[in-house]
Amino acid sequence: MKETTNKQKKRREFSLLLSIIVIFCIFGTIVLVVSRRTAKEMSEAAIQNLSESLDLIQSTIEAILRSEAEFQTLIAQEIARVEDPEAYIRAYEKNQTMSKLSLILSGKTEGVSNTGELFTEEDLDFSAGKTVFGLPVSQSYLNYMGTWSYTIKCPIQRDGRELGTLYAEYIYDAIDRSLPDGFYNKQASLYIMDAESQRFVLKPKGMGQRSAGHLNLTDFYRANDIQEPEIRAEVDECLSAGRNILFYHNIREVQALNYMWSVNGGTIFLVGYVPVEAIQQEGRTVNQSIITVIASLLAAFSLCIALYYLNWRQQDKLRREREEERRLHSQQLAEALQAAQIASKSKTTFLSNMSHDIRTPMNAVLGFTTLLARDAENPAKVREYTKKITASGQHLLSLINDILDVSKIESGKVVLNLEKFALNDVISSVEAIIQPMARDKRQDFHLEVTGIRHEYLVGDATRIDQILINLLSNAVKYTPEGGWIRLRIIGLKQRSSQYEHIRIEVEDNGYGMTPEYLETIFDAFTRAENSTTNKVQGTGLGMAITKSIVELMGGTIEVFSEVDRGSLFRVELELRILEEADRQFWAQRGVSRILAAAKDRENRESMAALMEGTGVRLDACSTVEEALEALGGGECQLALLDWEDFGLQGAGALREALPESVPLLILAELDAEGTQEALRLGRTDVLTKPFFVSALRAKAGELWDGADRAAGPEPEEDGGLAGMHFLAAEDNEINAEILTELLELEGASCEIAVNGQLAVERFQNSAPGEFDAILMDVQMPVMGGHEAARTIRALDREDAGRIPIIAMTANAFAEDEKAALSAGMNAHVPKPLSMELLKQAVKQCGKQEETG
């Protein structure tokens, strides 16, 4: 009987357990179906929400464009009513959206603008046929301020006839101020792309993720690994048709919904992506709520049916939770330990590298200082040790500058100093630095310039120097003795008539780099690790700095390399053209025709292109015989001959045929062999390759003006410091002693004040003219240099406003110089002190006083 009862009990328990299992299965199925359907519906709703958000942004931008066009139409109507439209344009003031307003009257190709410059339509591209409110809109471009812009043109009509065309330039940054502050919790990314050039012209500030910093659609494809031909084909079709597209694609290993949204009929597109995780967030939240409610119902149901069974389940659940908690805790501890070990290793590696690189020149400084004390009575060794101490100190300073430079770049504080420069000056200065380095290692360094049409440009020449020297010095370092290095400056097809498109190539046959290192070459604090390159000193910052500077200039940099076969670095930049007319120089010397002999067709074409606009005709011949025949075609005032092509024999033949008064210039590489013999031909000189008009003008000036200087030499301009008496504010005793000694070597003297307050009091109590200038440190106790300069300028004495004040400080960045000038100082000289820079600063102050 008991046995039967137990069997029945077990049967009931089994039935109860089976019922619970069935109920759980039914509820689980319901939960699964409901959650999947909810997730699908929420995803569709989220996509619809995304489309509506994009439609809102589209409508906002189109409303802005329409309002700009309507406003421009009103201006055109107002211009039609005035008597002098051009005067109206010149007087029109710029606003936040319209950066330039221009007018071309009917029948003319040039017009006026409110910026004061001549205006033509040739730099604007309206070929796409896009319109805004019926008015043609141009392809996007970089304006003279370096900001992405577009132009809308509008006809001006008076009494039924067209008076002219009104052009208004608008900047994309104005659109940014009217856009909503992001969507999808700022997890989405958004760019505005010009449809024709496919360049990204705006990255709205409030639109979420901005880590990529893409330049154009191709860059966006490459950075996000969108390589599928069918996706690209569909995107191209959408661009052509001006319609919208949504497609799924993984972005940095995260599934995302990508979009390209047409604005203004396909004039511009909204480009970006939203992580699918963000889209499905609301669906997951609803599913979690449903699961929680159902789980609560099941728990209550199970409790009512089988209290005793639930108790065991609860105990078992608690046990599993404790085990899971312990496992998660152990995993978190292991991950934290691993992260700490990686961070410690990175810090140790960097400190080890920097310790080695800084201690190496520091060891040389201290070692040679010890030897200097021992051999102080030996002038030859003193000079040798001093030279080596200076070289080591300069190397140590370059290491510190690299670290500070990359820190500024990463914090976004680097500002380009845009000013006019001659490409020849940059190349010549770089060649003067690199050629001796290559010669010391018996390397063949060759410079080649082709296709350049304009040598006077606008840009940051110092930063371009830095790019070239970084690339070339690395090529010299990592190329063995007897190797070769090539620097090529190539003029590419211009994208705009206002910009010179330049490619810089640095190639060598050195050690090369592994594919693994190529992936991290532009990362900071990385260096190739092998037995050969480890012998070369460096911080591992040069390439990171170079890439950052190139991108800051709006350019690109690529690298190609194979181990033991060499490397090729390729940089592309677009620099604004500065038209510099040489007509007056050549006309004053009566030069109207120049004869040139060179075999290479590209060299001849390059010389002819560079001489355009000078008013001088350049007849380029491929042989000496052709040049001799060309002499009969009219008088020439100057002749050029390629030394590598024709040598001494060709130079002699041409020199003999030329009149004695006509100079002959030999185009030759720096330090080319045999050119000294050519100089004995008379009225002959050497012009270093590559050919540039500025170099030719300087050499021609030497040839024609040399006789005048020989007949009556001008008095030399005094650029020294002899006889000057300075007031120096310097709180560091050693620096003060060094300054005093250096000035005494130049025949000058100084009086030291240990802070800004004492410097102000000493100047206030000095007699007029007692001090020729004030050298002012910036960071000092009691009163800093900036405050002291302002105080001196405010003193009630006649010479307080004009005495030169020169900042002499270790704060060596551009913003430090700007701060010094804003405080009333005349010039800025960085520490460590260079007497040449101090002389230049004093000379500059003298010129300012003369012109002031």
Side-chain angles (χ1 to χ4, degrees):
M1 184 70 179
K2 185 177 180 181
E3 191 173 314
T4 305
T5 304
N6 289 335
K7 287 182 179 180
Q8 290 177 348
K9 185 179 180 181
K10 288 181 179 179
R11 229 183 268 120
R12 286 196 302 270
E13 289 177 352
F14 178 77
S15 299
L16 179 60
L17 180 61
L18 183 61
S19 299
I20 293 174
I21 292 174
V22 171
I23 292 172
F24 269 100
C25 290
I26 293 173
F27 271 87
T29 304
I30 294 173
V31 170
L32 182 62
V33 172
V34 171
S35 63
R36 285 185 175 178
R37 193 165 79 179
T38 303
K40 181 180 179 182
E41 291 175 354
M42 294 300 293
S43 294
E44 292 174 354
I47 292 173
Q48 179 65 28
N49 186 28
L50 172 62
S51 301
E52 292 174 357
S53 298
L54 291 172
D55 286 338
L56 175 61
I57 296 174
Q58 171 196 351
S59 301
T60 301
I61 295 176
E62 289 178 347
I64 293 171
L65 295 175
R66 187 164 53 252
S67 64
E68 290 172 348
E70 292 174 349
F71 183 64
Q72 187 171 341
T73 302
L74 293 176
I75 295 177
Q77 294 172 358
E78 184 176 350
I79 292 175
R81 293 192 292 269
V82 301
E83 294 183 2
D84 189 348
E86 290 187 343
Y88 180 92
I89 293 297
R90 292 191 186 98
Y92 195 89
E93 295 184 358
K94 293 190 292 185
N95 56 44
Q96 290 184 341
T97 58
M98 189 185 300
S99 61
K100 185 165 71 173
L101 193 67
S102 307
L103 169 67
I104 298 181
L105 297 176
S106 296
K108 295 184 178 181
T109 60
E110 291 184 346
V112 299
S113 66
N114 64 340
T115 59
E117 59 188 20
L118 288 176
F119 175 81
T120 64
E121 189 184 323
E122 62 180 13
D123 295 329
L124 302 175
D125 187 355
F126 292 92
S127 61
K130 304 296 184 180
T131 62
V132 175
F133 197 57
L135 302 182
V137 60
S138 73
Q139 180 178 323
S140 302
Y141 57 92
L142 284 169
N143 65 10
Y144 68 98
M145 298 183 296
T147 302
W148 281 104
S149 310
Y150 57 92
T151 293
I152 300 176
K153 66 179 181 179
C154 173
I156 302 174
Q157 295 184 344
R158 178 191 292 171
D159 299 330
R161 80 182 167 85
E162 188 167 308
L163 184 65
T165 304
L166 178 66
Y167 298 81
E169 179 182 274
Y170 303 92
I171 59 175
Y172 279 99
D173 288 343
I175 295 176
D176 192 9
R177 293 190 289 270
S178 301
L179 294 181
D181 188 15
F183 54 100
Y184 279 105
N185 295 323
K186 296 189 177 181
Q187 295 185 58
S189 73
L190 175 68
Y191 295 90
I192 295 181
M193 180 186 77
D194 180 76
E196 285 298 310
S197 65
Q198 297 185 358
R199 292 293 295 264
F200 288 177
V201 297
L202 182 63
K203 294 180 283 188
K205 298 181 177 62
M207 286 298 173
Q209 299 182 9
R210 291 166 45 82
S211 59
H214 305 298
L215 301 175
N216 51 39
L217 186 58
T218 302
D219 182 30
F220 184 82
Y221 282 154
R222 182 177 62 252
N224 297 317
D225 198 24
I226 303 177
Q227 306 297 337
E228 293 81 351
E230 57 274 12
I231 292 180
R232 289 200 174 197
E234 188 175 0
V235 170
D236 291 340
E237 181 184 349
C238 292
L239 286 175
S240 302
R243 61 184 180 86
N244 306 328
I245 181 176
L246 289 169
F247 61 91
Y248 286 98
H249 192 279
N250 288 354
I251 303 296
R252 292 191 290 278
E253 300 182 357
V254 175
Q255 189 179 13
L257 180 61
N258 297 258
Y259 55 83
M260 296 189 65
W261 218 253
S262 171
V263 179
N264 193 44
T267 303
I268 57 178
F269 277 80
L270 305 176
V271 180
Y273 59 86
V274 182
V276 172
E277 181 181 352
I279 295 176
Q280 298 178 343
Q281 182 65 39
E282 295 178 1
R284 282 197 300 272
T285 302
V286 173
N287 286 337
Q288 289 171 0
S289 300
I290 292 173
I291 292 172
T292 302
V293 171
I294 294 176
S296 300
L297 291 174
L298 287 175
F301 177 75
S302 300
L303 182 62
C304 296
I305 294 176
L307 185 58
Y308 67 95
Y309 187 68
L310 183 58
N311 183 60
W312 177 84
R313 290 285 303 273
Q314 288 175 340
Q315 293 298 325
D316 188 62
K317 183 180 178 181
L318 289 173
R319 178 181 56 82
R320 289 197 304 269
E321 287 178 351
R322 284 195 296 269
E323 290 178 355
E324 180 67 16
E325 186 177 347
R326 284 195 295 269
R327 187 186 67 80
L328 289 175
H329 185 63
S330 299
Q331 182 180 346
Q332 290 171 353
L333 288 176
E335 290 175 353
L337 177 61
Q338 184 180 7
Q341 289 173 340
I342 292 173
S344 177
K345 183 179 179 182
S346 300
K347 180 189 71 173
T348 302
T349 302
F350 170 66
L351 291 177
S352 176
N353 287 340
M354 292 311 303
S355 175
H356 172 270
D357 292 341
I358 291 177
R359 285 176 185 274
T360 299
M362 182 59 72
N363 180 64
V365 170
L366 297 177
F368 283 116
T369 303
T370 303
L371 296 176
L372 188 64
R374 187 193 67 185
D375 298 324
E377 304 302 325
N378 188 333
K381 288 192 174 182
V382 168
R383 283 191 294 271
E384 179 185 356
Y385 297 157
T386 305
K387 182 179 179 181
K388 292 179 178 178
I389 290 173
T390 301
S392 297
Q394 291 294 340
H395 177 61
L396 183 60
L397 183 61
S398 71
L399 293 176
I400 296 171
N401 285 339
D402 273 353
I403 297 171
L404 296 177
D405 217 355
V406 78
S407 175
K408 285 189 64 185
I409 289 172
E410 289 180 348
S411 62
K413 294 182 179 178
V414 170
V415 178
L416 295 178
N417 183 23
L418 301 180
E419 56 186 9
K420 64 180 181 180
F421 71 95
L423 191 58
N424 175 55
D425 295 339
V426 172
I427 294 175
S428 299
S429 64
V430 170
E431 185 180 22
I433 294 171
I434 300 301
Q435 190 69 265
M437 295 170 59
R439 192 184 301 117
D440 290 343
K441 295 184 68 173
R442 295 184 290 106
Q443 295 168 340
D444 177 22
F445 173 65
H446 180 69
L447 169 63
E448 180 181 344
V449 180
T450 57
I452 299 296
R453 302 187 64 84
H454 304 86
E455 62 173 294
Y456 294 102
L457 306 168
V458 176
D460 194 329
T462 302
R463 292 297 183 180
I464 296 174
D465 268 348
Q466 190 174 1
I467 293 171
L468 290 171
I469 291 173
N470 279 352
L471 295 177
L472 287 168
S473 62
N474 274 356
V476 173
K477 288 178 185 178
Y478 297 109
T479 299
E481 291 193 4
W484 54 262
I485 298 166
R486 301 287 181 263
L487 170 60
R488 305 184 190 95
I489 310 293
I490 305 168
L492 302 179
K493 182 179 179 181
Q494 293 175 250
R495 297 190 179 103
S496 168
S497 61
Q498 296 181 354
Y499 289 86
E500 185 80 9
H501 190 186
I502 296 175
R503 173 180 291 169
I504 300 169
E505 292 185 348
V506 175
E507 186 177 8
D508 62 66
N509 65 338
Y511 305 123
M513 292 170 279
T514 64
E516 294 77 15
Y517 179 62
L518 284 176
E519 295 179 1
T520 61
I521 184 174
F522 295 117
D523 295 341
F525 310 117
T526 58
R527 291 190 293 191
E529 297 293 334
N530 60 58
S531 59
T532 302
T533 58
N534 281 346
K535 299 176 183 178
V536 181
Q537 294 182 353
T539 58
L541 300 175
M543 288 299 98
I545 292 172
T546 300
K547 184 175 187 293
S548 298
I549 293 173
V550 170
E551 291 179 347
L552 191 62
M553 292 181 174
T556 59
I557 183 170
E558 298 177 287
V559 58
F560 310 90
S561 184
E562 291 184 34
V563 175
D564 297 328
R565 297 190 64 178
S567 304
L568 169 63
F569 286 86
R570 182 176 292 157
V571 175
E572 289 194 13
L573 298 172
E574 287 189 277
L575 300 171
R576 189 174 182 86
I577 297 167
L578 178 69
E579 297 295 343
E580 289 274 339
D582 287 337
R583 292 178 178 271
Q584 185 176 5
F585 173 84
W586 301 108
Q588 287 177 347
R589 288 156 180 78
V591 179
S592 60
R593 181 174 178 241
I594 295 177
L595 184 64
K599 289 183 179 179
D600 188 84
R601 180 176 58 84
E602 288 188 357
N603 286 345
R604 298 197 302 272
E605 291 177 353
S606 178
M607 286 191 286
L610 289 170
M611 289 299 296
E612 287 182 4
T614 62
V616 179
R617 191 181 91 195
L618 187 137
D619 293 334
C621 307
S622 59
T623 64
V624 175
E625 289 73 17
E626 288 183 14
L628 295 176
E629 292 179 7
L631 286 174
E635 181 182 1
C636 75
Q637 293 80 33
L638 183 64
L640 305 172
L641 180 133
D642 194 302
W643 179 258
E644 185 178 351
D645 293 341
F646 305 111
L648 183 61
Q649 184 177 357
L654 189 57
R655 177 67 271 173
E656 185 177 352
L658 287 169
E660 186 177 350
S661 61
V662 177
L664 172 63
L665 292 180
I666 305 296
L667 287 168
E669 299 280 354
L670 186 66
D671 298 332
E673 295 183 2
T675 54
Q676 293 298 323
E677 298 181 22
L679 299 180
R680 300 191 186 100
L681 297 174
R683 196 65 171 156
T684 303
D685 208 336
V686 176
L687 181 63
T688 303
K689 286 185 176 181
F691 175 84
F692 281 107
V693 176
S694 58
L696 175 63
R697 193 171 79 171
K699 183 62 69 173
E702 293 177 10
L703 291 171
W704 274 299
D705 300 342
D708 297 336
R709 288 196 300 269
E714 298 177 358
E716 294 185 1
E717 185 177 358
D718 183 15
L721 306 175
M724 298 187 69
H725 184 53
F726 294 91
L727 172 60
E730 174 60 70
D731 64 317
N732 186 286
E733 186 176 347
I734 295 178
N735 288 345
E737 183 178 351
I738 292 173
L739 175 62
T740 303
E741 295 293 336
L742 289 176
L743 288 175
E744 286 182 0
L745 289 175
E746 298 293 334
S749 60
C750 74
E751 183 175 330
I752 304 295
V754 297
N755 58 57
Q757 179 66 46
L758 293 178
V760 172
E761 293 175 358
R762 181 63 184 90
F763 175 74
Q764 190 172 15
N765 297 327
S766 65
E770 180 178 349
F771 296 110
D772 297 294
I774 299 174
L775 304 179
M776 185 73 71
D777 192 9
V778 171
Q779 294 186 358
M780 293 182 293
V782 184
M783 180 184 288
H786 292 161
E787 185 181 354
R790 294 189 189 96
T791 305
I792 290 175
R793 293 302 188 207
L795 290 176
D796 186 17
R797 51 183 291 168
E798 184 180 353
D799 57 348
R802 67 170 185 269
I803 185 169
I805 304 178
I806 301 171
M808 185 183 64
T809 172
N811 300 336
F813 293 130
E815 55 266 29
D816 300 317
E817 181 176 357
K818 183 178 179 181
L821 298 179
S822 300
M825 303 191 201
N826 302 83
H828 179 276
V829 177
K831 292 179 181 178
L833 182 63
S834 166
M835 296 308 293
E836 290 303 317
L837 291 179
L838 181 58
K839 290 178 184 177
Q840 293 176 15
V842 171
K843 181 179 178 181
Q844 176 188 344
C845 293
K847 290 182 178 180
Q848 290 176 353
E849 188 172 353
E850 291 175 5
T851 57

